[in-house]
Amino acid sequence: MVCDTVCWLLHSKPLRGCVLRAFVPGWLVMWCVPGLAMAGVVWRGDFETGDRSQYSRAQMVNADRLQVVTTPVAEGKYALKATVHQGDDPINASGNRNELVYISNEPVGSEYYYRWKVMFANDFPSVDTWQLFTQWHHDGCCGSPPVEFYVKGEEIRLSLPGTNEIPWRTRLTRGVWHEFILHAKWSSDPKVGFVELWHNKELVLPKRGAMTMYSGQRNYLKLGLYRSDTVKPVGVVYHDGFIQATALSDVLEPEPMDAGTPMDAGSPVDAGSPMDAGSPEDAGSVDPDPVDAGGAEEPGPRPEADAGTPAWDAGTEPGPNVPPPGGISSDEGVAAQSGCSSTGGPVAAFALLGLMGLAGYRRRRRS
């Protein structure tokens, strides 16, 4: 509130990131500093705490399956290394997995931007079946999650199982960081809900209507690695930099400062044509080789108690599927809270003190 209050006094309206830098008698010297007040950031899951504490819980057979590591990293100091061996089944459900869970419970009709980075190990298995690395799962018992990112063969795919769509896919490249930005509005009505996707800073899927929730159910985030139990080789995926915000500007990385014109290092070497970031698929297209989600799973043992965690995770396979029966929880959720970033607090407080000092200066001039 301090940062916006100072800017309101100066401009008659709040300007995010605006701070008073200094004052000269009779003049205000100020400018807006982007990023000091990240009012649109809702949650970070970037592992910069050095552990998994940003997440609600872990589904893993051993702690070494979900390790916070210092190399490789995409940004900051830490990233997550998710490893799956054949037979890893921590919740006694379908497939093998080791995943982190964040109970986000986005309210119906809410709209957010999500950015995160993923790297597939150089020996990541190439198999003609599903290997899921990020999903927005429903809190119901059965059916595929409404929004999921997975690998099949040599492709990375975004799938919307409730509408039998795979609206985007691209070639799998190992050993490099893939950056994703998903813009989603959460609704069971495809005339209200939508998705929009950037991959490696390129808009690869323009905004399009989609059923992003199942009626009467909420979504929650899962990331790590979850795959068919038929896959035998060990799989390793790295995750980093997850952030959820209400504006695109809040999830974009700041542009590096211009250090001046670089010296001519000679003619560049042709590195070949750039990788195709993938093209949007036809809105109504169906995966020519869909993953069979199968029937409803038996729930099996309940996971360990965790406040706010769904009663159990059926762990159904990804891919086109009939939406599950709705109605196990209300559509109402707790609205995400946001405010001035703590990084802007001291500077903004100093700005307010400077403004108060200026007022005293003017009173002394009149006396």
Side-chain angles (χ1 to χ4, degrees), residues 214-231:
Y214 295 136
S215 179
Q217 300 184 25
R218 300 178 185 177
N219 290 348
Y220 60 96
L221 172 69
K222 302 187 74 177
L223 60 80
L225 182 58
Y226 164 45
R227 66 188 197 180
S228 168
D229 56 14
T230 63
V231 182

PDB file of all heavy atoms in Angstrom, residues 214-231:
ATOM      1  N   TYR A 214     -13.729 -29.024 -14.688  1.00  0.00           N
ATOM      2  CA  TYR A 214     -14.920 -29.860 -14.716  1.00  0.00           C
ATOM      3  C   TYR A 214     -15.958 -29.256 -13.777  1.00  0.00           C
ATOM      4  O   TYR A 214     -15.616 -28.716 -12.714  1.00  0.00           O
ATOM      5  CB  TYR A 214     -14.590 -31.298 -14.307  1.00  0.00           C
ATOM      6  CG  TYR A 214     -13.673 -32.006 -15.269  1.00  0.00           C
ATOM      7  CD1 TYR A 214     -12.609 -32.781 -14.802  1.00  0.00           C
ATOM      8  CD2 TYR A 214     -13.855 -31.906 -16.641  1.00  0.00           C
ATOM      9  CE1 TYR A 214     -11.766 -33.439 -15.677  1.00  0.00           C
ATOM     10  CE2 TYR A 214     -13.015 -32.555 -17.530  1.00  0.00           C
ATOM     11  CZ  TYR A 214     -11.977 -33.324 -17.045  1.00  0.00           C
ATOM     12  OH  TYR A 214     -11.141 -33.973 -17.927  1.00  0.00           O
ATOM     13  N   SER A 215     -17.198 -29.349 -14.164  1.00  0.00           N
ATOM     14  CA  SER A 215     -18.277 -28.722 -13.411  1.00  0.00           C
ATOM     15  C   SER A 215     -18.296 -29.221 -11.968  1.00  0.00           C
ATOM     16  O   SER A 215     -18.257 -30.428 -11.708  1.00  0.00           O
ATOM     17  CB  SER A 215     -19.618 -29.014 -14.090  1.00  0.00           C
ATOM     18  OG  SER A 215     -20.682 -28.432 -13.369  1.00  0.00           O
ATOM     19  N   GLY A 216     -18.357 -28.287 -11.031  1.00  0.00           N
ATOM     20  CA  GLY A 216     -18.446 -28.633  -9.628  1.00  0.00           C
ATOM     21  C   GLY A 216     -17.146 -29.060  -8.995  1.00  0.00           C
ATOM     22  O   GLY A 216     -17.127 -29.499  -7.853  1.00  0.00           O
ATOM     23  N   GLN A 217     -16.015 -28.934  -9.724  1.00  0.00           N
ATOM     24  CA  GLN A 217     -14.722 -29.372  -9.190  1.00  0.00           C
ATOM     25  C   GLN A 217     -13.691 -28.264  -9.330  1.00  0.00           C
ATOM     26  O   GLN A 217     -13.809 -27.392 -10.185  1.00  0.00           O
ATOM     27  CB  GLN A 217     -14.247 -30.634  -9.911  1.00  0.00           C
ATOM     28  CG  GLN A 217     -15.209 -31.797  -9.767  1.00  0.00           C
ATOM     29  CD  GLN A 217     -14.696 -33.065 -10.401  1.00  0.00           C
ATOM     30  OE1 GLN A 217     -13.492 -33.254 -10.543  1.00  0.00           O
ATOM     31  NE2 GLN A 217     -15.607 -33.938 -10.781  1.00  0.00           N
ATOM     32  N   ARG A 218     -12.686 -28.315  -8.479  1.00  0.00           N
ATOM     33  CA  ARG A 218     -11.598 -27.357  -8.525  1.00  0.00           C
ATOM     34  C   ARG A 218     -10.342 -28.008  -9.095  1.00  0.00           C
ATOM     35  O   ARG A 218     -10.221 -29.228  -9.110  1.00  0.00           O
ATOM     36  CB  ARG A 218     -11.307 -26.811  -7.125  1.00  0.00           C
ATOM     37  CG  ARG A 218     -12.477 -26.095  -6.478  1.00  0.00           C
ATOM     38  CD  ARG A 218     -12.091 -25.644  -5.084  1.00  0.00           C
ATOM     39  NE  ARG A 218     -13.215 -25.054  -4.364  1.00  0.00           N
ATOM     40  CZ  ARG A 218     -13.153 -24.632  -3.109  1.00  0.00           C
ATOM     41  NH1 ARG A 218     -12.027 -24.736  -2.444  1.00  0.00           N
ATOM     42  NH2 ARG A 218     -14.208 -24.113  -2.519  1.00  0.00           N
ATOM     43  N   ASN A 219      -9.417 -27.168  -9.517  1.00  0.00           N
ATOM     44  CA  ASN A 219      -8.134 -27.657 -10.031  1.00  0.00           C
ATOM     45  C   ASN A 219      -7.029 -27.403  -9.019  1.00  0.00           C
ATOM     46  O   ASN A 219      -7.131 -26.515  -8.185  1.00  0.00           O
ATOM     47  CB  ASN A 219      -7.767 -26.942 -11.333  1.00  0.00           C
ATOM     48  CG  ASN A 219      -8.669 -27.335 -12.485  1.00  0.00           C
ATOM     49  OD1 ASN A 219      -9.429 -28.286 -12.404  1.00  0.00           O
ATOM     50  ND2 ASN A 219      -8.583 -26.579 -13.571  1.00  0.00           N
ATOM     51  N   TYR A 220      -5.970 -28.196  -9.113  1.00  0.00           N
ATOM     52  CA  TYR A 220      -4.758 -27.936  -8.350  1.00  0.00           C
ATOM     53  C   TYR A 220      -3.562 -28.348  -9.199  1.00  0.00           C
ATOM     54  O   TYR A 220      -3.675 -29.165 -10.116  1.00  0.00           O
ATOM     55  CB  TYR A 220      -4.770 -28.674  -7.005  1.00  0.00           C
ATOM     56  CG  TYR A 220      -4.862 -30.178  -7.086  1.00  0.00           C
ATOM     57  CD1 TYR A 220      -3.717 -30.967  -7.030  1.00  0.00           C
ATOM     58  CD2 TYR A 220      -6.095 -30.818  -7.190  1.00  0.00           C
ATOM     59  CE1 TYR A 220      -3.793 -32.345  -7.087  1.00  0.00           C
ATOM     60  CE2 TYR A 220      -6.188 -32.197  -7.247  1.00  0.00           C
ATOM     61  CZ  TYR A 220      -5.041 -32.966  -7.195  1.00  0.00           C
ATOM     62  OH  TYR A 220      -5.119 -34.337  -7.251  1.00  0.00           O
ATOM     63  N   LEU A 221      -2.415 -27.761  -8.916  1.00  0.00           N
ATOM     64  CA  LEU A 221      -1.218 -27.951  -9.729  1.00  0.00           C
ATOM     65  C   LEU A 221      -0.419 -29.161  -9.270  1.00  0.00           C
ATOM     66  O   LEU A 221      -0.250 -29.390  -8.071  1.00  0.00           O
ATOM     67  CB  LEU A 221      -0.338 -26.702  -9.638  1.00  0.00           C
ATOM     68  CG  LEU A 221       1.049 -26.781 -10.282  1.00  0.00           C
ATOM     69  CD1 LEU A 221       0.943 -26.860 -11.795  1.00  0.00           C
ATOM     70  CD2 LEU A 221       1.896 -25.573  -9.856  1.00  0.00           C
ATOM     71  N   LYS A 222       0.113 -29.907 -10.252  1.00  0.00           N
ATOM     72  CA  LYS A 222       1.059 -30.984  -9.980  1.00  0.00           C
ATOM     73  C   LYS A 222       2.196 -30.879 -10.989  1.00  0.00           C
ATOM     74  O   LYS A 222       1.951 -30.694 -12.180  1.00  0.00           O
ATOM     75  CB  LYS A 222       0.394 -32.362 -10.099  1.00  0.00           C
ATOM     76  CG  LYS A 222      -0.795 -32.571  -9.177  1.00  0.00           C
ATOM     77  CD  LYS A 222      -1.296 -34.005  -9.225  1.00  0.00           C
ATOM     78  CE  LYS A 222      -0.369 -34.943  -8.485  1.00  0.00           C
ATOM     79  NZ  LYS A 222      -0.874 -36.336  -8.464  1.00  0.00           N
ATOM     80  N   LEU A 223       3.425 -30.996 -10.498  1.00  0.00           N
ATOM     81  CA  LEU A 223       4.562 -31.035 -11.414  1.00  0.00           C
ATOM     82  C   LEU A 223       5.611 -31.998 -10.888  1.00  0.00           C
ATOM     83  O   LEU A 223       5.677 -32.286  -9.700  1.00  0.00           O
ATOM     84  CB  LEU A 223       5.142 -29.644 -11.652  1.00  0.00           C
ATOM     85  CG  LEU A 223       5.697 -28.814 -10.500  1.00  0.00           C
ATOM     86  CD1 LEU A 223       7.104 -29.250 -10.111  1.00  0.00           C
ATOM     87  CD2 LEU A 223       5.717 -27.345 -10.881  1.00  0.00           C
ATOM     88  N   GLY A 224       6.401 -32.506 -11.809  1.00  0.00           N
ATOM     89  CA  GLY A 224       7.395 -33.529 -11.511  1.00  0.00           C
ATOM     90  C   GLY A 224       7.475 -34.433 -12.716  1.00  0.00           C
ATOM     91  O   GLY A 224       7.727 -33.982 -13.833  1.00  0.00           O
ATOM     92  N   LEU A 225       7.214 -35.723 -12.511  1.00  0.00           N
ATOM     93  CA  LEU A 225       7.139 -36.672 -13.612  1.00  0.00           C
ATOM     94  C   LEU A 225       6.165 -37.786 -13.245  1.00  0.00           C
ATOM     95  O   LEU A 225       6.263 -38.378 -12.173  1.00  0.00           O
ATOM     96  CB  LEU A 225       8.518 -37.270 -13.932  1.00  0.00           C
ATOM     97  CG  LEU A 225       8.574 -38.249 -15.117  1.00  0.00           C
ATOM     98  CD1 LEU A 225       8.074 -37.593 -16.398  1.00  0.00           C
ATOM     99  CD2 LEU A 225       9.996 -38.769 -15.323  1.00  0.00           C
ATOM    100  N   TYR A 226       5.203 -38.018 -14.123  1.00  0.00           N
ATOM    101  CA  TYR A 226       4.175 -39.044 -13.947  1.00  0.00           C
ATOM    102  C   TYR A 226       4.010 -39.723 -15.298  1.00  0.00           C
ATOM    103  O   TYR A 226       3.800 -39.052 -16.313  1.00  0.00           O
ATOM    104  CB  TYR A 226       2.877 -38.376 -13.480  1.00  0.00           C
ATOM    105  CG  TYR A 226       1.618 -39.204 -13.595  1.00  0.00           C
ATOM    106  CD1 TYR A 226       1.590 -40.523 -13.200  1.00  0.00           C
ATOM    107  CD2 TYR A 226       0.440 -38.633 -14.087  1.00  0.00           C
ATOM    108  CE1 TYR A 226       0.421 -41.265 -13.301  1.00  0.00           C
ATOM    109  CE2 TYR A 226      -0.732 -39.360 -14.184  1.00  0.00           C
ATOM    110  CZ  TYR A 226      -0.736 -40.680 -13.791  1.00  0.00           C
ATOM    111  OH  TYR A 226      -1.892 -41.411 -13.894  1.00  0.00           O
ATOM    112  N   ARG A 227       4.128 -41.058 -15.346  1.00  0.00           N
ATOM    113  CA  ARG A 227       4.170 -41.726 -16.642  1.00  0.00           C
ATOM    114  C   ARG A 227       3.543 -43.108 -16.577  1.00  0.00           C
ATOM    115  O   ARG A 227       3.282 -43.642 -15.481  1.00  0.00           O
ATOM    116  CB  ARG A 227       5.625 -41.841 -17.109  1.00  0.00           C
ATOM    117  CG  ARG A 227       6.463 -42.759 -16.230  1.00  0.00           C
ATOM    118  CD  ARG A 227       7.945 -42.716 -16.574  1.00  0.00           C
ATOM    119  NE  ARG A 227       8.659 -43.870 -15.999  1.00  0.00           N
ATOM    120  CZ  ARG A 227       9.937 -44.108 -16.134  1.00  0.00           C
ATOM    121  NH1 ARG A 227      10.696 -43.249 -16.827  1.00  0.00           N
ATOM    122  NH2 ARG A 227      10.498 -45.172 -15.600  1.00  0.00           N
ATOM    123  N   SER A 228       3.354 -43.684 -17.721  1.00  0.00           N
ATOM    124  CA  SER A 228       2.822 -45.040 -17.807  1.00  0.00           C
ATOM    125  C   SER A 228       3.754 -46.015 -17.091  1.00  0.00           C
ATOM    126  O   SER A 228       4.989 -45.885 -17.167  1.00  0.00           O
ATOM    127  CB  SER A 228       2.675 -45.453 -19.272  1.00  0.00           C
ATOM    128  OG  SER A 228       2.418 -46.833 -19.386  1.00  0.00           O
ATOM    129  N   ASP A 229       3.164 -46.996 -16.412  1.00  0.00           N
ATOM    130  CA  ASP A 229       4.000 -47.974 -15.706  1.00  0.00           C
ATOM    131  C   ASP A 229       4.660 -48.978 -16.644  1.00  0.00           C
ATOM    132  O   ASP A 229       5.391 -49.862 -16.205  1.00  0.00           O
ATOM    133  CB  ASP A 229       3.192 -48.689 -14.627  1.00  0.00           C
ATOM    134  CG  ASP A 229       1.942 -49.358 -15.164  1.00  0.00           C
ATOM    135  OD1 ASP A 229       1.809 -49.510 -16.402  1.00  0.00           O
ATOM    136  OD2 ASP A 229       1.068 -49.720 -14.346  1.00  0.00           O
ATOM    137  N   THR A 230       4.420 -48.836 -17.956  1.00  0.00           N
ATOM    138  CA  THR A 230       5.088 -49.708 -18.927  1.00  0.00           C
ATOM    139  C   THR A 230       6.485 -49.200 -19.289  1.00  0.00           C
ATOM    140  O   THR A 230       7.264 -49.922 -19.917  1.00  0.00           O
ATOM    141  CB  THR A 230       4.261 -49.819 -20.213  1.00  0.00           C
ATOM    142  OG1 THR A 230       4.160 -48.530 -20.838  1.00  0.00           O
ATOM    143  CG2 THR A 230       2.862 -50.344 -19.925  1.00  0.00           C
ATOM    144  N   VAL A 231       6.810 -47.965 -18.895  1.00  0.00           N
ATOM    145  CA  VAL A 231       8.112 -47.383 -19.237  1.00  0.00           C
ATOM    146  C   VAL A 231       9.179 -47.952 -18.301  1.00  0.00           C
ATOM    147  O   VAL A 231       9.065 -47.848 -17.079  1.00  0.00           O
ATOM    148  CB  VAL A 231       8.082 -45.849 -19.127  1.00  0.00           C
ATOM    149  CG1 VAL A 231       9.442 -45.271 -19.535  1.00  0.00           C
ATOM    150  CG2 VAL A 231       6.973 -45.269 -20.000  1.00  0.00           C
TER     151      VAL A 231
END
